[in-house]
Amino acid sequence: MSDMTVIGLGAMGTALTEAFLDKGHVVTVWNRSPAKAHALAAKGAVVAASVEDAVRSSPLIVVCLLVYDTVHEALAPAREALSGRTLVNLTNGTPEQARAMSQWAVTHGANYVDGGIMAVPPMIGRQHALILYSGSRQGFDTHSEQLDALGTGKYLGEDAGLAPLYDISLLAGMYGLFGGVLQALALTGSAGIPAEEFMPLLMSWLQAMQGGLPKWAEQIDAGDHTSNVVSNLGMQAEAYVNLIDASKAAGISTELMLPMQSLMKRGVAAGKANADLTSLVELLQLAKQVD
């Protein structure tokens, strides 16, 4: 028996396998394209002849594929072999997909743990690689020491959908930040200012703004967006038009900026002009009720 099986040997699956091997684990691997296993075999991995053999080889099955549909397709021939094993699915997806996958796995007798990898392949195996887990507490506790080989693990709860929820939410924050950075660099670049020259000032500014986020959390949890407001929504909405006008004047696309302006205008129209920017969370959540 191997210590664990890794199914899916793309860039991330390969990194996961190498991290397990670096910790001295016996690892079985399987991939639909067998050629991807050759380099790992040279490093000591055991290559399974079929997905069923791969699943039967280990008590811990770690899957990392492109989408959940591919996970279903890959595991379907081995579904009966899952009984009594822990299936850790590190494929990026949605909370709804994770819960459906959990139900499917439990139906076939497996402990199911879903995961979100907050890292790129070169980070795997290092402390700064954060791996989010949710689902079977028994499955996670049984194999948490082995999973520590991948990075810093954080267990979120029995609901299998929690890990992808946190994953997607963290990515939303990241892409929102990246979008603003891209707009800033497009604007300064249009004036001939090198990105390397502007970047230190931009980073310093963003770090300063991050200091206010804990207050945001307090306001949102308390539902109080009107106490001790320093810069109200109405004022920010009036000033925000300058971001749009300056971009247009420079010949820069406003596609990244317009959605925020639309949300601000909706907040002012809803009577939140004197509230903090955090009040916009309620408008975003209201969309869910309308849908």
Side-chain angles (χ1 to χ4, degrees), residues 118-227:
M118 309 312 300
V120 293
M123 295 172 62
I124 298 299
R126 302 181 182 182
Q127 183 179 2
H128 293 300
L130 172 63
I131 317 293
L132 305 170
Y133 299 100
S134 61
S136 169
R137 180 86 220 200
Q138 179 183 347
F140 176 77
D141 286 347
T142 300
H143 299 287
S144 61
E145 186 173 342
Q146 294 166 310
L147 293 171
D148 282 345
L150 305 179
T152 300
K154 183 175 179 62
Y155 179 77
L156 300 170
E158 293 274 355
D159 177 2
L162 286 174
L165 174 64
Y166 274 60
D167 184 351
I168 293 297
S169 299
L170 289 169
L171 289 174
M174 181 193 77
Y175 281 115
L177 173 64
F178 286 177
V181 169
L182 290 173
Q183 189 74 20
L185 296 179
L187 275 165
T188 52
S190 70
I193 300 170
E196 287 187 349
E197 178 182 323
F198 183 69
M199 186 59 75
L201 188 61
L202 178 58
M203 291 178 63
S204 177
W205 166 248
L206 292 176
Q207 288 167 1
M209 290 301 96
Q210 288 175 20
L213 294 183
K215 180 190 174 186
W216 279 30
E218 293 176 7
Q219 290 174 297
I220 291 168
D221 286 344
D224 180 5
H225 306 284
T226 57
S227 298

Side-chain angles (χ1 to χ4, degrees), residues 35-184:
K36 288 188 176 182
H38 293 168
L40 291 170
K43 295 179 180 181
V46 178
V47 181
S50 68
V51 67
E52 184 174 0
D53 288 345
V55 170
R56 294 192 184 280
S57 296
S58 313
L60 171 62
I61 314 301
V62 178
V63 181
C64 186
L65 295 168
L66 184 60
V67 294
Y68 275 65
D69 285 347
T70 307
V71 176
H72 279 289
E73 293 171 6
L75 291 178
R79 57 186 178 274
E80 301 304 325
L82 288 170
S83 182
R85 292 172 168 79
T86 295
L87 173 61
V88 177
N89 182 19
L90 298 181
T91 302
N92 183 265
T94 68
E96 291 75 17
Q97 288 175 319
R99 293 177 185 123
M101 179 66 73
S102 177
Q103 186 175 15
W104 178 85
V106 170
T107 298
H108 293 94
N111 289 317
Y112 182 81
V113 178
D114 208 275
I117 302 176
M118 309 312 300
V120 293
M123 295 172 62
I124 298 299
R126 302 181 182 182
Q127 183 179 2
H128 293 300
L130 172 63
I131 317 293
L132 305 170
Y133 299 100
S134 61
S136 169
R137 180 86 220 200
Q138 179 183 347
F140 176 77
D141 286 347
T142 300
H143 299 287
S144 61
E145 186 173 342
Q146 294 166 310
L147 293 171
D148 282 345
L150 305 179
T152 300
K154 183 175 179 62
Y155 179 77
L156 300 170
E158 293 274 355
D159 177 2
L162 286 174
L165 174 64
Y166 274 60
D167 184 351
I168 293 297
S169 299
L170 289 169
L171 289 174
M174 181 193 77
Y175 281 115
L177 173 64
F178 286 177
V181 169
L182 290 173
Q183 189 74 20

Side-chain angles (χ1 to χ4, degrees), residues 19-35:
F20 284 134
L21 290 171
D22 287 345
K23 292 296 182 179
H25 292 296
V26 179
V27 188
T28 293
V29 297
W30 182 82
N31 192 74
R32 287 187 297 182
S33 302

Side-chain angles (χ1 to χ4, degrees), residues 194-277:
E196 287 187 349
E197 178 182 323
F198 183 69
M199 186 59 75
L201 188 61
L202 178 58
M203 291 178 63
S204 177
W205 166 248
L206 292 176
Q207 288 167 1
M209 290 301 96
Q210 288 175 20
L213 294 183
K215 180 190 174 186
W216 279 30
E218 293 176 7
Q219 290 174 297
I220 291 168
D221 286 344
D224 180 5
H225 306 284
T226 57
S227 298
N228 303 314
V229 176
V230 176
S231 179
N232 67 47
L233 176 61
M235 183 278 292
Q236 293 200 49
E238 285 292 328
Y240 194 88
V241 69
N242 292 329
L243 276 71
I244 305 299
D245 289 346
S247 295
K248 289 180 177 178
I252 303 301
S253 172
T254 59
E255 61 193 295
L256 290 171
M257 298 289 101
L258 289 176
M260 187 65 175
Q261 184 185 45
S262 175
L263 186 62
M264 284 181 162
K265 287 182 176 180
R266 191 154 63 91
V268 172
K272 300 179 183 293
N274 293 320
D276 216 328
L277 200 64

